[in-house]
Amino acid sequence: MLKALILGGATQATALARRLAGHATVDATVSLAGRTKNPVLPPLPTRVGGFGGVEGLAAYLSEQGIQAVIDATHPFADQISANAAAACARVKVPLRLLTRPAWQAGPGDRWIAVPDMAAAALALRDLGDPVFLTIGRQEVAAFLATPDKRYLIRAVDPPDPMPALPNATLILERGPFTVEAETALMQAHGVAVIVSKNSGGGATDAKLEAARRLGLPVVMVERPPGDGVAELPDVDAAVAWLEGMA
């Protein structure tokens, strides 16, 4: 049996776990960072919590006899991915990155591409409000740079601590979302602009179609640069890679 570790966090990690549950030749464990208070647990043995950086992850890989690692974390979990690349290189364990295609602007889209969250906050100065922040909970504090805006913040868990934005409404929801529900939400709150990470995938892309229908601008934060790790385009390719290693 091939002992594999899946670094989870993205929806693809759960899909991969389902494919590997009870697999004949791959014995996989999923690791979740623990940033979500009540995560949806995959159907495989699961550990929750960090490893303690590169040193801790390298030690875990060696101690557990891990023979292959798949990084299926969120596209913006750049620190975890960097640690995985360094740790796997150190202990010579093969690593692959399970990716999902980035969203691409299409006809009718009004996207403003920015490199990071600080730039997203600055881009709002010339745009209207309320601002719909669909960026999760960890980087909301960047928008203290534009505190005069009204904000509608959606996350699975509340920011901790909640930034001292003087006019902010918090919605706690977990995707996937429908286009109809996203359109109704934006209309109900009078949303004028959306801020989004370019996460890709289908769990939260309905907001982009809703923005297109309503003619709203989207401040799109582009993905961080990668670590040079070879990529797998989908779950089928990930399963095939692991089976080829077994």
Side-chain angles (χ1 to χ4, degrees):
M1 293 282 283
L2 177 79
K3 292 199 70 173
L5 177 66
I6 301 169
L7 300 175
T11 54
Q12 286 170 299
T14 302
L16 178 58
R18 292 194 188 103
R19 290 282 299 275
L20 295 177
H23 197 282
T25 61
V26 179
D27 177 18
T29 297
V30 176
S31 175
L32 300 176
R35 292 177 178 172
T36 301
K37 292 181 179 179
N38 295 296
V40 177
L41 296 178
L44 283 176
T46 303
R47 67 176 303 281
V48 179
F51 291 96
V54 175
E55 297 286 346
L57 178 53
Y60 177 88
L61 297 176
S62 296
E63 292 165 2
Q64 299 298 317
I66 301 298
Q67 298 165 286
V69 178
I70 290 185
D71 179 357
T73 58
H74 191 277
F76 282 79
D78 50 337
Q79 187 60 63
I80 298 173
S81 293
N83 289 350
C88 287
R90 181 172 301 182
V91 296
K92 296 180 172 54
V93 172
L95 169 68
R96 292 293 185 271
L97 179 65
L98 178 55
T99 62
R100 56 195 191 200
W103 293 318
Q104 302 293 328
D109 285 326
R110 298 171 57 196
W111 288 14
I112 302 165
V114 294
D116 53 37
M117 213 58 69
L122 294 179
L124 295 179
R125 290 180 174 175
D126 298 324
L127 299 171
D129 66 309
V131 178
F132 187 16
L133 296 183
T134 64
I135 59 170
R137 69 189 181 98
Q138 296 184 48
E139 297 178 270
V140 175
F143 295 88
L144 289 170
T146 45
D148 56 317
K149 299 289 185 180
R150 290 175 291 158
Y151 289 98
L152 177 65
I153 304 166
R154 181 169 67 194
V156 175
D157 297 315
D160 185 21
M162 181 70 183
L165 293 167
N167 196 340
T169 300
L170 179 63
I171 299 175
L172 299 181
E173 288 184 320
R174 187 194 303 269
F177 306 103
T178 66
V179 175
E180 290 71 22
E182 294 286 69
T183 303
L185 176 68
M186 293 177 197
Q187 289 177 321
H189 289 271
V191 168
V193 58
I194 299 166
V195 180
S196 173
K197 296 177 177 178
N198 195 335
S199 303
T204 59
D205 62 343
K207 63 190 174 188
L208 303 178
E209 174 61 29
R212 187 179 303 119
R213 291 183 180 183
L214 297 172
L216 300 180
V218 177
V219 178
M220 185 65 75
V221 182
E222 298 301 336
R223 295 182 180 185
D227 301 289
V229 175
E231 298 182 0
L232 299 166
D234 52 38
V235 170
D236 287 343
V239 173
W241 180 69
L242 291 171
E243 289 175 341
M245 299 276 293

